[in-house]
Amino acid sequence: MTGLDRNSVRRTAVLAGAALIVGLLPLASAGTAAAADPDPVPVDRFEGEVPFASQPAEGLFTWGGDADDPPELTLAERSDAPEGAKVLAGDYDISGYGGFTHDYAADQPGHDWSAHKGIRFWWDGQDNGKKTAFEIKDGGANGEASELWTTSFTDDFSGWKQIEIPFGDFTYRTDYQPVGGIDQVLGLTQMWGYAVTLPVGAPGRFAMDDVELYGKADQSLRASVTTDAAVYPVKEGGTASVKVSVATTGSAPIDEPVTVAYESAGGTAESGKDYTPVKGEITFPAGTESGASRTVRVPTLRDRTGEAAETVPLKLTVTGAKAPAETPQVVIDAHGLPYLDAKLPVKKRVADLLSRMSLAEKAGQMTQAERGAIGAGGDIAAYDLGSLLSGGGSTPTPNTPAAWAKMIDGYQLRAQATRFQIPLIYGVDAVHGHNNLAGATVMPHNIGIGATRDPALAERTGAVTAAEVRATGVPWDFAPCLCVTRDERWGRSYESFGEDPALVESMETVVQGLQGDRSGRDLKDDDRVLATAKHFVGDGGTAYGSSTTGSYTVDQGVTKVSRQELEAVHLAPFQEAVDRGVGTVMPSYSSLDLGDGQGPVKMHARADMINGVLKDRMGFDGFVISDWNAIDQLPGDYAAHVRTSVNAGVDMMMVPYGYKEFSATLIDEAKAGRVTDRRIDDAVARILAQKFRLGLFEKPYADTSGASAIGSTAHRAVARQAAAESQVLLKNAGSVLPLKKSQKVYVAGSNADDIGNQTGGWTITWQGSSGNITPGTTIFQGMRKAGGDVTYSKDASASTAGYDVGVVVVGETPYAEGVGDVGNGNDLELTAADKAAVDTVCAAMKCAVLIVSGRPQLIGDRLGDVDALVASWLPGTEGDGVADVLYGRRAFTGQLPVTWPKSESQLPINVGDTSYDPQFPYGWGLTTLTNVPGGGTASLRALALVAAAAERAGAGTVARTAVTKARLLVQQKIGTAVTAASAKPFADADHLLLTGHYADAVAKLTQAYRAG
């Protein structure tokens, strides 16, 4: 699943398209201010008092979609300047988007504009008929963290004209994700400047002068009437209480009376039959304190018939203040209908509800929108939306468990205004813990979980993730990724458990951790979520250079395989997931080419695979959710995208910002007969069934009883164990590891003390980022907490004298999806700084090098200079777990989930390849256990007998122990002298172990021993 704002450059640079432009503003000439008006307050005179600068300093700066889009600005002397001697002038030629901003200094308080009516400026008209967007910044910590409020004007005049914009003309930017102080109310007391988005498509020039605040604020701009909710569900016969409040900017008392006339009118409920009509007036006298409220009560009436929900709008007419943005609605709950009976079987509840729904309501259930697209949420009921999601980094403000629950409960409340009150199903990409949530327990990425070879631990990590996700009101997780990574140049390779389908299948215990019992009976519990098997099918097999998405090289490319390889490698994990009862499946962006003459076909269009294999042959009875805007990659027009994907078997469409178009198009296609009623009913039935299983009809709102456990010591203990078991010891000459607490340790490297690098992509934001992005323990901090005598020098510039051993922690910085593809600005080499740190430390003392990365890094040219080498993968927030194995609190037991190559030219390289000559083979992993067996071939013969006997007897634990002993014995002999002759049988043995062929595994290890 792709994160939010793929092409964002910086927050204030995401400035807008035509869809946001709200129309032509009145253009007013400068007039004489009324006597009562305050003096204008200058914002920008362009005489040089505000420099060209950027945050944190105050200044003017430019931005754009690419290097050519930012305009060229100058403070130009003009004899015709409306004010002073200079104006701001510029040239532009914008293909994407571009403009400029005046931000106030981030280290100073925001400005108070609340005393004024609006903002105005002089514009040198070119009479080009083009619209220019003008935005102001409200709330948040600074100009880069604020809400954006937008409007526009049209350049249809020549020469200088003063543009006056009342603050009431600005509308809230719903497509922009601010980061602090967000209430979607233009408060005007904490303003951070303005921004101008220039026209696109043709070269142009502009000039601007004298930006200032003008006029006296009307009370209607400073005072507003609100209700405590937009929707008021009430059981039939109950009374709804609508709280009406008056509030002012700055919380000052109102200085003029505010009246609110109210009347119950319209809606689907019948006055006198379903409710008692109400009508009256509330007055808030002058001097009333901000926040004062009155309550209007709407009684409903009881009858004896079952019926759908009915609405009673409460019309509010406000004088003296701004009216609520929408009319509050009392909703008489649906009642007495079979689908509401929790005692009935799910199948009967689905059939009853489905039989009552209109085509539009069914289309809504098949539609998923991004939370950032729906504003206050009115469209949830207007379009009968079935689902919302948070893309990567799409979070409430503040990013806390309580804020998540409140946000999602607000959306669920909106769904109560629909006819059948079908609850939303809200989804997130919790791919290694609740990774969008600051303070959540962040697990190792899947590649590290695969390295643990511990299915029980994988299940526990899933259970912790589920508990933390559900406690914030989210019942659906877009995880796990069941891709089998076959080329580590792929930017998503760390989302895979490994390169061997048998390993991936063994780790699918995580599905039970997320969902509970295979039957789905646990889904209603407050610590379980619906899981998603992704990406169906073959996304881990895309060929290098086959992608056509932007600058990606591997991701979203073409998987060209035989049917036999497709079945054995890529489909097998999905059969396992279906057998485990996984609730949803997400198709891949990638294309599949089976060599059958069709060529590459996008997975979202492959009815043969989704309907034919997944649903019919495998027996999948959950629903299929598309990836983010994935249908847009299909051939043909939009109608073709919709009918092709739906007819292929996709049940719900993730159309983050295109939900209106999708819903309307699906309805049109159904009416035209190009999508059948049967197909739509099948899709909706599948979706409704999971909502019933999750218990959402009975408990649509967040159960936050488990919120106190988010990021708890108990949860972090699971992540700590996973981090420890994921560490793979590749080399340990002279038994450098484990370290002794008595040793003086020199720690260096870019990833030793960086929680962002340690957690990788999909952490807080889609791409992740370096730095202190979420609470946790870095590897260096873990070493210090373990009691070690440690000193840290990131670049190894501090003196290396007097230390017993060095630990250099190097590797990658975060990335996600195709952004991380090798060839897309990335390679598998350590950075120059990391190489220098390794060289400096390892030349001065015994050293251990830890590689924190989502995939193998090329280290062969330095392997001889390194005493110990550890593949640390992306261990998550619990650096204590890494310290546990470094200091011997736990033994190293991890094994390579992927083959470690000698060079990039070897890629792709995988277990089972005919030609196989890696740096370290698949399954490799030394141990610091003291009881590594000896005895050579005699011991191997004895272990072979034990494995064979245990295999015959079905004693899997005994057999696996025998194979593990044989593996450790072989590794002890081979050391770092891995050859092609020893690597291939060694890797094959680990695959045989995972598939239950224990005797054959020992035979392969014996072959490797002899070759070594």
Side-chain angles (χ1 to χ4, degrees), residues 79-165:
S79 59
D80 63 344
E83 188 278 337
K86 296 178 181 178
V87 303
L88 180 69
D91 297 303
Y92 59 88
D93 185 2
I94 302 167
S95 58
Y97 60 85
F100 62 92
T101 291
H102 174 184
D103 266 0
Y104 295 137
D107 58 357
Q108 299 295 318
H111 292 211
D112 187 345
W113 293 1
S114 64
H116 294 272
K117 179 179 182 179
I119 190 168
R120 66 189 180 192
F121 51 89
W122 289 88
W123 190 266
D124 187 13
Q126 307 300 307
D127 198 17
N128 56 24
K130 294 182 177 292
K131 288 186 177 181
T132 296
F134 188 88
E135 295 181 339
I136 55 178
K137 302 182 170 192
D138 170 52
N142 54 60
E144 303 299 281
S146 56
E147 296 178 341
L148 296 184
W149 292 75
T150 186
T151 188
S152 69
F153 63 92
T154 301
D155 186 343
D156 56 1
F157 55 92
S158 297
W160 289 106
K161 178 169 277 190
Q162 192 173 47
I163 311 296
E164 288 193 346
I165 309 176

Side-chain angles (χ1 to χ4, degrees), residues 18-347:
L20 298 174
I21 295 177
V22 297
L24 177 64
L25 289 172
L27 303 178
S29 300
T32 303
D37 285 358
D39 292 334
V41 173
V43 175
D44 218 336
R45 298 176 63 243
F46 304 118
E47 299 300 309
E49 77 283 1
V50 177
F52 292 103
S54 59
Q55 291 290 348
E58 179 176 5
L60 292 160
F61 65 94
T62 62
W63 35 262
D66 56 42
D68 297 329
D69 284 347
E72 297 288 335
L73 300 184
T74 184
L75 297 178
E77 292 198 16
R78 289 266 297 256
S79 59
D80 63 344
E83 188 278 337
K86 296 178 181 178
V87 303
L88 180 69
D91 297 303
Y92 59 88
D93 185 2
I94 302 167
S95 58
Y97 60 85
F100 62 92
T101 291
H102 174 184
D103 266 0
Y104 295 137
D107 58 357
Q108 299 295 318
H111 292 211
D112 187 345
W113 293 1
S114 64
H116 294 272
K117 179 179 182 179
I119 190 168
R120 66 189 180 192
F121 51 89
W122 289 88
W123 190 266
D124 187 13
Q126 307 300 307
D127 198 17
N128 56 24
K130 294 182 177 292
K131 288 186 177 181
T132 296
F134 188 88
E135 295 181 339
I136 55 178
K137 302 182 170 192
D138 170 52
N142 54 60
E144 303 299 281
S146 56
E147 296 178 341
L148 296 184
W149 292 75
T150 186
T151 188
S152 69
F153 63 92
T154 301
D155 186 343
D156 56 1
F157 55 92
S158 297
W160 289 106
K161 178 169 277 190
Q162 192 173 47
I163 311 296
E164 288 193 346
I165 309 176
F167 290 129
D169 285 355
F170 287 90
T171 59
Y172 180 70
R173 279 278 303 276
T174 60
D175 67 328
Y176 168 76
Q177 298 297 325
V179 295
I182 307 311
D183 55 12
Q184 297 187 16
V185 174
L186 183 55
L188 298 172
T189 59
Q190 192 179 20
M191 304 300 294
W192 295 100
Y194 65 87
V196 176
T197 304
L198 295 164
V200 302
R205 61 184 179 85
F206 77 95
M208 183 182 189
D209 200 12
D210 192 24
V211 183
E212 64 182 14
L213 310 177
Y214 75 94
K216 179 183 178 182
D218 297 331
Q219 178 168 283
S220 61
L221 291 177
R222 294 186 295 107
S224 60
V225 168
T226 61
T227 58
D228 56 329
V231 179
Y232 296 84
V234 60
K235 292 185 182 302
E236 186 190 41
T239 297
S241 297
V242 180
K243 185 177 178 182
V244 180
S245 303
V246 64
T248 63
T249 298
S251 299
I254 58 175
D255 50 20
E256 299 173 13
V258 172
T259 61
V260 184
Y262 60 86
E263 180 181 7
S264 54
T268 58
E270 185 177 337
S271 177
K273 176 186 175 185
D274 297 312
Y275 69 97
T276 302
V278 296
K279 185 175 183 179
E281 185 174 275
I282 296 169
T283 299
F284 296 96
T288 298
E289 293 294 323
S290 177
S293 62
R294 306 285 188 272
T295 299
V296 177
R297 290 180 171 83
V298 182
T300 68
L301 304 173
R302 186 184 299 276
D303 60 32
R304 296 182 179 180
T305 59
E307 53 193 347
E310 298 170 310
T311 58
V312 186
L314 187 65
K315 183 181 177 182
L316 303 179
T317 303
V318 178
T319 303
K322 185 181 294 184
E326 56 187 307
T327 298
Q329 290 193 81
V330 173
V331 179
I332 305 170
D333 286 341
H335 56 276
L337 302 177
Y339 78 89
L340 295 169
D341 186 353
K343 296 178 182 178
L344 289 178
V346 167
K347 191 172 182 179

Side-chain angles (χ1 to χ4, degrees), residues 461-517:
T461 65
V464 168
T465 298
E468 297 199 359
V469 169
R470 194 69 181 257
T472 59
V474 179
W476 185 14
D477 185 2
F478 304 128
C481 184
L482 303 184
C483 49
V484 181
T485 178
R486 306 294 284 178
D487 188 337
E488 277 59 63
R489 290 172 292 188
W490 185 35
R492 302 192 80 146
S493 56
Y494 63 76
E495 294 188 51
S496 172
F497 292 114
E499 70 186 33
D500 183 353
L503 175 58
V504 175
E505 289 176 60
S506 72
M507 293 295 111
E508 290 186 51
T509 48
V510 70
V511 173
Q512 263 56 67
L514 294 167
Q515 292 194 170
D517 191 80

Side-chain angles (χ1 to χ4, degrees), residues 344-362:
L344 289 178
V346 167
K347 191 172 182 179
K348 287 189 175 181
R349 298 179 75 182
V350 169
D352 176 69
L353 179 52
L354 193 63
S355 70
R356 301 174 186 277
M357 295 170 68
S358 68
L359 175 59
E361 288 165 332
K362 293 174 183 177

Side-chain angles (χ1 to χ4, degrees), residues 667-675:
I667 291 169
D668 289 344
E669 290 298 292
K671 287 179 177 178
R674 290 184 287 268
V675 177

